[in-house]
Amino acid sequence: MLSANPAIEISYDYFEVALSLLIAVSACYVALDLAQRVTAAHGRARIVWLTGGAVALGVGIWSMHFTAMLALHLAVPMAYHWPTVLVSLLIGILSSSFALFVASRKKMGPADALSGSVIMGVGIAGLHYSGMAAMRLAAAIRYNTVLVGVSIVLAIAFSVAALLLAFDLREETRATVPRKFGGALVMGAAISAMHYTGMAAVTFVRSTASPNLSHAVSISSVGTAGIAVVTLIILGQTMFVSSMDRRSALQTLELAREQAKTELARLSRIGTMTHLTASIAHEINQPITAVVTSISAALRWQATQPPNLDEAREAMVRGMEQANRVSEVIGGIRTLLKKASPELRPIDINVVIQDAVALADNELLTSAVTVQTELVADVPAVLGDRIQLQQVMLNLIMNAIDAMSMITDRQRELLIKSAKNPDGLLIQVQDSGKGLDVENVDRIFEPFFTTKPQGIGMGLWISRLIVEGYGGRLWANPRDPHGAVFQIILPKADNVA
Amino acid sequence: MNESQSTVFVVDDDAAVREALRDLIDSVGLRVELFGSAGEFLQRKLPHLPSCLILDVRLPGKSGFDLQRELAEANISIPIIFITGHGDIPMSVRAMKAGAVEFLAKPFRDQDLLDVIQLALERDRATRQREAEIAALRDCFESLTPREREVLPWVVSGLLNKQIADAIGTSEATVKVHRSQLMRKMGAKSLADLVRMADKMGVPVPKQQP
């Protein structure tokens, strides 16, 4: 090496190096954030997000490059050929838009990922080296080809990582802030590594020829700070807009979900109503037939010569009983419809169970049923209507009492348990009653199905409707050696959308 | 006609409807028996007395239609009155085609049901009477000798003894003996009487010789 043309001493301003790193990380964070927005958006909104995202990311990488360049202190004055600088910015924006486009598509196969990474990597390297080419100074720039190659490979490797991360984190559920921040840190570090490897490939050799300073501008430290601040502001604003959009998108999603739920509930209620109407037509008809027939019979007994008033009276009593049965059925339906829009609150199911047991206390006592509760103290809260859940528990308790009313050869025992369950919580109501007929196990939840002489077959049906309304399940199994187990699974409060 | 001998059977899964029907049918002095399912009814051995069946269409297990078909298959010809809470026209057509007396929608007018019950019992009484007559005639027919049974269709078809003798290849005198024997055994007072009996029994009448 000629001593007349020695390499220029270089040094770095570490504050500005740190600043360049900060910009790189911020830009990458914004990029990850925007990949989500681009993915979620459609039509024109998608183009706007893609463009905005590409500009933010492009400006970010570009700004990182120039901040890093200004961290470089040379013993000769430096200026930049601004048209080339603009070209480098354009390259940055174009490669960023391409990368965002690839990462936001529905699918990203290995070929997509690879070609996307190569184009993005070459773009970043292009930005870097065109930025270098914009330098105007009284020195010759020499490149170490091996290190240049390494920097390009690093740029492509960085792009692979960036695309995979962006693709992976674009789903709302996967993209937590710490995850995105971690991803941005890795990407920012990679981008910086690429830059400083590129810089290590450079040797500045003092030259006597004065630089061509046409279209060249010099950038002071104040200018650097300006670039950095403006960039950070752009990135910050992009993030802000993105988060606002996400919030409104989430609200829209929430709204749509709510509407879908209401619609679903309405449809299922209509479905139930159709079913119900057919059942009512038949089941109200039964007691009405009995009423009409009994009263006719009473009139006939009363009209005989001499009138048979005992028979007439008996027939009328039967008629009245059946008229009451009609009103019970209607009452049940009214209760059901009234409870169509319950008030949902986090509920401690143990309290509900204890309340229901307390309400049934008198019945339990007169029916000689012993109650035992095994309630797990820290069961998760469920979202529900306290009165409705109480109704369900009370229904199950009353059922158990009825099922045990004919039992004389063994203890009448009622056991109520609450427990945690992977889906939320599990409630069990066990009795030692007459058990379940295999053929009736599914029918007991049908409207108007009953095995009790005085039952109208509404209780279990309504209970199941309520439980299913909360996204839960209610079913029954025979219990060994006798009796039945009614089981409820309810989703815990934070699982309910 | 002894009303208390006639029985109305009721098959309905609704206890209240059954009891109410008992009230109503009792009030007109008919015997009534209640069943909660088709299976219970099938276990009851039916009496040889006029009776009818009030049958709900919708039953647990075997439906009313199933029971109607099983009774027909077992050759039990009890008149059936269907009652249903949610009947439609196809359902009633089906029931009537299969021989039901009536198809009533619940709730029905008491008089409508009682009228139909009377009709059904009347029909069953007539059926039983006809069946009894046929059975009696069959008994008489069974008492004939093979030759007399051979001669009977020719007599019924209005041929003279000589023509019959030619047709079956015997003498006129022999045919004359067979004829008087079979008239006596069948208890027929005249040729017209015998023709009516043969018709009831469904004896095939041979074509008259030219």
Side-chain angles (χ1 to χ4, degrees):
Chain A
M1 197 173 275
L2 293 173
S3 59
N5 291 332
I8 299 171
E9 284 279 319
I10 57 174
S11 65
Y12 283 100
D13 177 328
Y14 290 104
F15 171 74
E16 285 178 331
V17 169
L19 191 61
S20 77
L21 259 167
L22 175 68
I23 292 174
V25 171
S26 311
C28 293
Y29 186 89
V30 169
L32 288 177
D33 202 42
L34 287 174
Q36 267 181 276
R37 305 262 45 84
V38 178
T39 307
H42 297 281
R44 263 180 63 187
R46 188 177 160 90
I47 294 170
V48 170
W49 277 117
L50 195 63
T51 314
V55 170
L57 182 59
V59 167
I61 300 175
W62 176 84
S63 169
M64 176 268 159
H65 173 82
F66 282 94
T67 312
M69 286 310 292
L70 291 165
L72 174 74
H73 286 209
L74 286 177
V76 293
M78 271 191 289
Y80 288 92
H81 181 243
W82 64 261
T84 314
V85 170
L86 281 186
V87 168
S88 71
L89 175 59
L90 203 64
I91 293 174
I93 292 174
L94 283 178
S95 53
S96 299
S97 67
F98 186 80
L100 270 178
F101 175 72
V102 170
S104 65
R105 285 201 304 184
K106 278 207 183 78
K107 282 183 189 168
M108 187 173 75
D112 296 324
L114 201 66
S115 60
S117 306
V118 169
I119 291 175
M120 190 181 166
V122 169
I124 291 171
L127 184 156
H128 178 83
Y129 288 104
S130 60
M132 295 298 292
M135 289 180 86
R136 296 287 182 269
L137 70 174
I141 301 174
R142 303 238 170 96
Y143 289 102
N144 176 332
T145 39
V146 175
L147 281 176
V148 169
V150 170
S151 76
I152 294 175
V153 170
L154 274 177
I156 295 174
F158 149 73
S159 302
V160 173
L163 280 182
L164 292 179
L165 271 170
F167 192 79
D168 182 49
L169 291 179
R170 63 189 207 169
E171 297 302 332
E172 210 66 60
T173 49
R174 308 256 308 121
T176 58
V177 171
R179 271 192 194 150
K180 279 196 280 191
F181 186 70
L185 218 55
V186 171
M187 284 166 68
I191 234 176
S192 302
M194 179 266 147
H195 176 87
Y196 290 104
T197 310
M199 290 312 293
V202 174
T203 322
F204 296 95
V205 181
R206 199 179 289 272
S207 107
T208 45
S210 49
N212 175 8
L213 290 177
S214 64
H215 301 296
V217 288
S218 125
I219 303 171
S220 65
S221 321
V222 179
T224 318
I227 290 177
V229 167
V230 168
T231 306
L232 287 175
I233 287 173
I234 290 178
L235 293 175
Q237 281 199 334
T238 313
M239 253 188 279
F240 176 73
V241 173
S242 166
S243 78
M244 289 311 287
D245 181 68
R246 173 177 312 110
R247 192 168 303 164
S248 80
L250 274 180
Q251 279 167 354
T252 313
L253 196 70
E254 192 64 27
L255 204 67
R257 200 180 287 164
E258 198 57 39
Q259 278 171 349
K261 243 174 76 183
T262 317
E263 180 62 9
L264 198 69
R266 199 181 66 83
L267 282 179
S268 76
R269 210 176 302 149
I270 289 172
T272 314
M273 285 316 279
T274 315
H275 187 188
L276 184 60
T277 311
S279 299
I280 290 169
H282 184 257
E283 299 303 329
I284 287 199
N285 239 348
Q286 294 291 99
I288 292 219
T289 302
V291 170
V292 170
T293 310
S294 290
I295 303 241
S296 318
L299 287 174
R300 282 170 191 282
W301 286 120
Q302 181 253 331
T304 53
Q305 282 306 330
N308 189 333
L309 294 181
D310 285 347
E311 289 283 2
R313 189 188 140 73
E314 217 169 280
M316 279 195 286
V317 167
R318 264 200 272 275
M320 203 166 65
E321 279 169 7
Q322 291 309 306
N324 283 332
R325 176 175 155 204
V326 177
S327 84
E328 267 176 55
V329 171
I330 290 171
I333 294 163
R334 190 181 291 149
T335 317
L336 178 73
L337 295 182
K338 205 160 54 187
K339 287 286 170 189
S341 48
E343 201 180 334
L344 298 184
R345 288 208 183 136
I347 303 278
D348 181 350
I349 203 70
N350 289 342
V351 174
V352 172
I353 293 172
Q354 280 154 354
D355 285 351
V357 170
L359 282 171
D361 195 39
N362 197 33
E363 295 288 334
L364 291 163
L365 201 68
T366 52
S367 311
V369 172
T370 55
V371 201
Q372 213 184 324
T373 50
E374 289 178 19
L375 308 178
V376 172
D378 58 343
V379 286
V382 295
L383 208 56
D385 181 280
R386 197 176 55 83
I387 302 291
Q388 279 196 343
L389 289 172
Q390 210 175 60
Q391 191 184 348
V392 171
M393 290 314 300
L394 205 53
N395 273 338
L396 295 183
I397 293 172
M398 293 314 236
N399 257 351
I401 292 175
D402 287 342
M404 291 186 283
S405 60
M406 305 300 275
I407 304 303
T408 49
D409 59 337
R410 55 178 181 265
Q411 282 289 313
R412 298 179 188 171
E413 288 167 330
L414 175 64
L415 173 60
I416 305 177
K417 291 187 193 177
S418 69
K420 279 193 254 188
N421 180 275
D423 294 328
L425 63 86
L426 174 73
I427 306 161
Q428 288 189 328
V429 179
Q430 307 190 359
D431 64 59
S432 60
K434 62 185 172 178
L436 302 163
D437 288 345
V438 179
E439 54 178 328
N440 288 342
V441 148
D442 291 319
R443 290 194 67 199
I444 55 173
F445 293 103
E446 284 179 18
F448 301 108
F449 181 86
T450 182
T451 55
K452 301 179 221 164
Q454 301 305 320
I456 56 164
M458 300 286 281
L460 283 177
W461 176 58
I462 291 176
S463 299
R464 180 178 261 189
L465 282 185
I466 290 172
V467 170
E468 286 180 350
Y470 296 144
R473 286 182 293 139
L474 165 59
W475 75 101
N477 297 118
R479 179 170 171 246
D480 201 40
H482 31 240
V485 189
F486 283 82
Q487 313 203 58
I488 298 176
I489 283 186
L490 285 170
K492 54 176 176 254
D494 52 359
N495 274 2
V496 181
Chain B
M1 175 169 70
N2 188 353
E3 288 272 325
S4 65
Q5 301 259 309
S6 306
T7 305
V8 179
F9 298 100
V10 174
V11 181
D12 193 311
D13 62 327
D14 192 307
V17 173
R18 287 200 301 268
E19 289 300 329
L21 284 171
R22 186 210 291 279
D23 282 340
L24 180 66
I25 297 164
D26 260 354
S27 75
V28 294
L30 286 168
R31 269 201 71 228
V32 56
E33 283 185 37
L34 308 179
F35 303 89
S37 70
E40 280 177 43
F41 176 73
L42 283 171
Q43 282 172 3
R44 169 77 163 86
K45 209 175 168 327
L46 297 182
H48 293 290
L49 284 168
S51 53
C52 70
L53 172 62
I54 297 177
L55 182 55
D56 190 12
V57 174
R58 188 160 111 168
L59 292 170
K62 269 182 212 144
S63 78
F65 288 134
D66 293 338
L67 179 58
Q68 184 186 29
R69 201 186 48 247
E70 275 187 40
L71 289 174
E73 279 166 9
N75 244 337
I76 298 170
S77 67
I78 184 166
I80 297 176
I81 301 159
F82 276 107
I83 51 173
T84 178
H86 57 146
D88 50 20
I89 291 172
M91 209 187 253
S92 63
V93 168
R94 181 179 162 194
M96 299 305 281
K97 269 194 173 162
V101 182
E102 189 54 278
F103 191 90
L104 292 175
K106 290 180 190 172
F108 33 75
R109 281 187 54 228
D110 58 334
Q111 196 56 54
D112 288 349
L113 181 67
L114 292 176
D115 288 349
V116 177
I117 290 174
Q118 287 305 341
L119 178 71
L121 290 176
E122 211 52 67
R123 205 179 275 185
D124 194 41
R125 202 167 288 124
T127 307
R128 284 175 187 282
Q129 203 172 333
R130 194 168 57 247
E131 277 172 359
E133 282 173 22
I134 292 171
L137 288 174
R138 284 261 161 222
D139 285 346
C140 299
F141 189 73
E142 293 301 316
S143 68
L144 302 184
T145 64
R147 200 60 167 170
E148 286 162 1
R149 279 183 222 165
E150 197 186 347
V151 170
L152 189 137
W154 298 107
V155 175
V156 172
S157 69
L159 293 188
L160 300 172
N161 289 346
K162 184 174 165 26
Q163 289 168 306
I164 298 171
D166 286 349
I168 63 171
T170 182
S171 70
E172 192 184 342
T174 317
V175 172
K176 194 177 173 185
V177 173
H178 286 323
R179 180 193 281 250
S180 65
Q181 281 295 352
L182 74 90
M183 289 289 277
R184 188 183 55 77
K185 284 185 182 169
M186 291 301 291
K189 297 181 190 72
S190 64
L191 179 60
D193 210 12
L194 188 70
V195 170
R196 195 179 51 77
M197 289 173 178
D199 183 43
K200 256 189 193 166
M201 284 189 296
V203 173
V205 177
K207 259 195 191 156
Q208 201 168 342
Q209 299 281 319

